[in-house]
Amino acid sequence: MRVPAFSALLTDAGREVLAGVDPSAAARDPLATASRLREDPGVAALDPGLPVAELVNAVMTQVGLRARGRAKFGGNAERMFFTPDGLEQSTRRIVAEYRAERTARHLPDAVSGGGAAAGDLCCGIGADLLALAGRGVPVEGVDADPLTVAVARANIDALGLSGHARVREGDVNEVGAGDHPLLFCDPARRGGRGRVFDPAAYSPPWDVATRLAEEAEAACLKAAPGIPHEVLSPAASAEWISVDGELKETALWFGTLAEGSRRRATVLHERTGLLASEGSVAHLDAEPDLGPAPVAPARRYLYDPDPAVVRSHLVAEAAARVDGALLDERIAYFTSDRAERSPLWRVLEVVEFAPFSLKRLRSSVRAHKAGTVTIKKRGSAVDTERLRRDLRASGPESVTIALTRIGERPFYLLCREVGAPEAP
Ligand SMILES: C[S@@+](CC[C@H](N)C(=O)[O-])C[C@H]1O[C@@H](n2cnc3c(N)ncnc32)[C@H](O)[C@@H]1O
């Protein structure tokens, strides 16, 4: 999509054309929708200087991206604008809102007093900037890509936030230290050949973003959830965030935003339909001098921590909350005599704990009349799909099998939901 075709969609006539496309019909039969648009004189009139095919393509792209955008932005997606890359790289609304809330609680005076705007360096289509502006934080977005800038501007306008936010085209490598008392930066992690994993290959490179953040009064950097702990600035407090059990990002907080512990796991739940501010958030913080978790054989309950807990290296803290012990010092399962439910982990009742044996496992699954078998593994080389076939499970009950190893030896734990009735 080029800027002129996108701009044509922002005119009153363009918005009318967009509103006239039924998204489900376009998804069901894109060729029919595209051919109707090609015949529509209103489409050609959007910009007579552009080929009709390009305008039709811009309309179809926007309709398709809005439909996909619902997963990240809910109902707002129907009013928003996207590019394929911009949608792909954008922060989900629940995470952006959560971070914006934390940011708004600790604004530097220069920003809260209205004297300066926060900088969203690498603003993309504006997901983070919109969340900040939605909380009344004045914010200026910067992005190097002209189409992305046009899309971010359109989103500010579409959500009625032009009183708080603006966007300019620019290169973050040219932003000076101290230009923004508060900054947010979400470097691009996609290169010409797809996703980039090395932080030095982010754009701007991770060390450039880190330097800017360290020199600001307050800052937040977003990175991939798998970023190595060793490249994280010692000046920052780091937070790993998951949504509905899926790890989404690492957020690094600097300056006045670096409140609290040095490492934190944050678990958000979107399926409940609540935003972070409404109570669907759980945290686990690093405890100084906690030391390693004890190690012990399986007790009555097995705990499977959320990936944010695992990735933030806070499994010992999680186990300590329930007086638990690890099954193996290198594996993130832990065990306890008591069951405590929390969004930070899943807790299961252990029915059987034994060295791995297909024969034994199969007869136990049969004895439990379990036809629904969930298989999880940590530190196990077993092929779970093959195991599922080999178990030939049938029956009305449900069990969970956790595969793991202790030392070098493979083990299994046959488990059921806490509070599930005893097998007959
Ligand atoms: C990961 S996306 C940002 C997504 C955004 N936070 C959101 O949630 O919508 C990164 C953006 O950085 C921009 N970018 C990459 N290198 C840049 C640079 N040197 N200066 C300014 N923008 C840059 C890209 O064009 C891309 O839009």
Side-chain angles (χ1 to χ4, degrees), residues 89-91 122-128 143-145 148 170-173 184 186-188 203-204:
Q89 298 185 74
S90 62
T91 305
C122 294
C123 68
I125 56 112
D128 292 294
D143 202 283
D145 177 58
T148 304
D171 183 347
V172 168
N173 291 300
F184 174 79
D186 176 9
S203 178

Side-chain angles (χ1 to χ4, degrees), residues 311-322:
R311 190 59 211 150
S312 56
H313 299 176
L314 291 173
V315 179
E317 276 79 354
R321 281 212 185 170
V322 294

Side-chain angles (χ1 to χ4, degrees), residues 15-34 36-37 59-70 75 77-79:
R15 287 170 197 271
E16 220 168 277
V17 170
L18 268 177
V21 178
D22 172 358
S24 6
R28 240 185 353 261
D29 193 347
L31 289 180
T33 305
R36 179 183 67 70
L37 288 168
V59 174
M60 293 296 288
T61 302
Q62 230 32 257
V63 170
L65 292 175
R66 280 180 171 177
R68 271 172 47 203
R70 277 195 75 86
E78 277 154 40
R79 288 181 285 158

Side-chain angles (χ1 to χ4, degrees), residues 39-56:
E39 300 307 314
D40 180 347
V43 174
L46 291 179
D47 185 337
L50 290 177
V52 178
E54 186 174 348
L55 292 164
V56 169

